[in-house]
Amino acid sequence: MSVLDPLAARYASWLGLPAAATNDVEDEDPLAVRAMPVILRIERAEPPARTPLLEAAAAAAIAVCLDPASEVDGPWHEDVLAWVSGRIRKVSRRARGAHWAAVQELPGVTVDVAGASVRALVPALVAETPHVVSRLQISGSDLPADEPSPVEDGVPVLYLNPVVAMTTGKAAAQVGHATMLVAALLHADGRDTDLKAWAENGFRCAVRTPSRDQWRDLHPGDDPVGAWRRRRVVAVRDAGFTEVDPGTVTVLTQWPS
């Protein structure tokens, strides 16, 4: 059993929903909304490069979900399971200096990639967000495009939609969704050996922006299950709460063959 089982179970049906249904929150109690805070370390004097920061965010999100503390009887299990069983919201915030140091004291996982650092915290009720987190700014987290290094062999590649503009904070949340989906589907397929090897490699991944032709060729279309089975491609479809329209596919992930 994995805490991500509810995510795997509804993957295909979620992609098939009409766009308008993906962000239907009319029946949602605001006091019951849960989210994973994703804290991006962006120092004023030496900000990180965008690509490593996104790769760190992608790894940190799944690292929280698959941490031993998230397993059954672990101290994080109930919070993570309640979050995964509902709408998968993440809120990216930026921190530096003493504020970055302060969030290290909260339950979560910090990942460092090529000088970039991200801490994903254990999901919790938004209404109960601690002040040390709520005081951090959500806006202003954008970073310029950079020239990433060649993709490492054997790591999943997370492709950002080349025709949809996303801030660094938005993209950080989306790539975190992507790694969670991949891990959930690997477990559902009984590929726990692959999942274990990925964990031992620190959930390393590559974030890239493909050409429009590459994106079109990778897109699962109306057959998300087939795309995963045949090509190991997973799509992230956004609910459209911020920045993008409901139903937008923001990330396509290809697991290495």
Side-chain angles (χ1 to χ4, degrees):
M1 179 178 178
S2 168
V3 74
L4 296 175
D5 285 349
L7 188 57
R10 67 178 189 268
Y11 170 63
S13 62
W14 175 254
L15 284 184
L17 286 174
T22 60
N23 70 345
D24 183 3
V25 295
E26 291 182 0
D27 60 344
E28 190 172 41
D29 179 356
L31 295 179
V33 173
R34 295 176 180 271
M36 169 185 279
V38 179
I39 314 302
L40 315 176
R41 185 178 188 182
I42 303 179
E43 298 289 346
R44 190 192 307 275
E46 296 184 14
R50 188 175 193 267
T51 296
L53 192 71
L54 294 180
E55 292 172 351
I62 188 57
V64 168
C65 296
L66 297 185
D67 191 279
S70 294
E71 295 176 359
V72 176
D73 296 330
W76 300 352
H77 180 74
E78 289 188 8
D79 287 329
V80 175
L81 181 61
W83 173 63
V84 171
S85 298
R87 291 183 171 90
I88 310 298
R89 287 187 175 92
K90 296 184 179 72
V91 179
S92 298
R93 299 176 184 269
R94 60 186 175 92
R96 58 175 179 261
H99 288 178
W100 170 254
V103 297
Q104 304 307 304
E105 303 301 317
L106 299 175
V109 177
T110 296
V111 173
D112 302 312
V113 175
S117 300
V118 174
R119 185 168 183 81
L121 302 180
V122 174
L125 293 170
V126 173
E128 297 177 2
T129 301
H131 178 65
V132 71
V133 174
S134 64
R135 70 183 178 183
L136 302 177
Q137 291 189 336
I138 296 175
S139 62
S141 63
D142 211 12
L143 295 168
D146 59 327
E147 292 293 332
S149 58
V151 175
E152 296 177 22
D153 291 337
V155 302
V157 183
L158 284 56
Y159 292 102
L160 300 174
N161 191 323
V163 299
V164 174
M166 290 184 283
T167 63
T168 303
K170 178 68 173 180
Q174 299 304 296
V175 295
H177 295 345
T179 52
M180 288 175 60
L181 282 169
V182 169
L185 294 175
L186 285 173
H187 176 71
D189 278 0
R191 298 182 61 175
D192 289 333
T193 300
D194 289 346
L195 199 51
K196 181 180 178 182
W198 191 26
E200 291 173 348
N201 193 32
F203 298 108
R204 285 289 297 136
C205 58
V207 176
R208 299 293 185 268
T209 301
S211 68
R212 295 190 181 196
D213 287 344
Q214 288 176 305
W215 178 266
R216 184 190 63 247
D217 291 343
L218 278 172
H219 202 291
D222 59 0
D223 187 17
V225 173
W228 170 248
R229 299 292 188 206
R230 294 189 298 272
R231 299 185 284 127
R232 297 301 177 195
V233 171
V234 178
V236 175
R237 187 173 189 243
D238 193 65
F241 293 116
T242 61
E243 295 192 25
V244 303
D245 293 332
T248 300
V249 174
T250 54
V251 182
L252 295 177
T253 302
Q254 186 155 44
W255 182 258
S257 57

